Amino acid sequence: MREVTSFVVVFPQRLDGVEEERAMLLQALRREYPHFEFEAFPGRGDDEFGIIPVIGEVGSHEAGEAGRVYMRKPLDPRVIPDLVDTLRVCSAVGAAA
C-alpha cells in the first residue's frame, strides 16, 4: 500500500481573490515538503487553512487495473497539523520568506 503524498489545500475566506498569495503559499509548501504534491481547492474555506489528504486513487500503473480504487496508508497524525502550521507561518511572514 502506498503512502499519501497528495493534498488539497483549502484557503481561508480572507484569501479569496488573492491568487498571487495563494500561489506563493503553495510554492512555499512545495519547497518545504518536496516529497508531497499540493493543489488548491477551487472553493473557499472558513477562517482557517484546511488540508485534505488524497487517500485513494483510481486505477493503477498495471494493465487491466484501470477501474479499481486503491486506498493509501493512513497518515501519521502529525502530518496535517504540520502542514497547517507551515501555511500559518508562511502567511504571517510572507510566503516568499
Side-chain angles (χ1 to χ4, degrees):
M1 197 179 255
R2 298 167 89 186
E3 297 201 2
V4 172
T5 58
S6 297
F7 299 87
V8 176
V9 179
V10 181
F11 291 96
Q13 276 184 323
R14 65 182 168 79
L15 292 178
D16 262 5
V18 189
E19 294 304 317
E20 184 175 294
E21 185 171 352
R22 290 166 56 120
M24 286 191 304
L25 287 168
L26 282 176
Q27 286 298 350
L29 276 177
R30 290 177 182 131
R31 279 193 310 270
E32 188 73 23
Y33 303 94
H35 52 288
F36 290 152
E37 296 175 17
F38 299 97
E39 294 297 327
F41 181 71
R44 64 179 185 199
D46 51 16
D47 295 334
E48 191 54 63
F49 289 100
I51 301 287
I52 302 169
V54 178
I55 59 171
E57 70 178 307
V58 177
S60 113
H61 303 291
E62 317 228 351
E65 301 288 326
R68 294 197 55 180
V69 175
Y70 296 88
M71 299 303 290
R72 303 275 181 145
K73 287 182 188 176
L75 278 171
D76 180 319
R78 296 171 291 189
V79 171
I80 290 178
D82 285 350
L83 295 172
V84 170
D85 287 345
T86 299
L87 284 167
R88 286 182 189 141
V89 168
C90 290
S91 181
V93 299

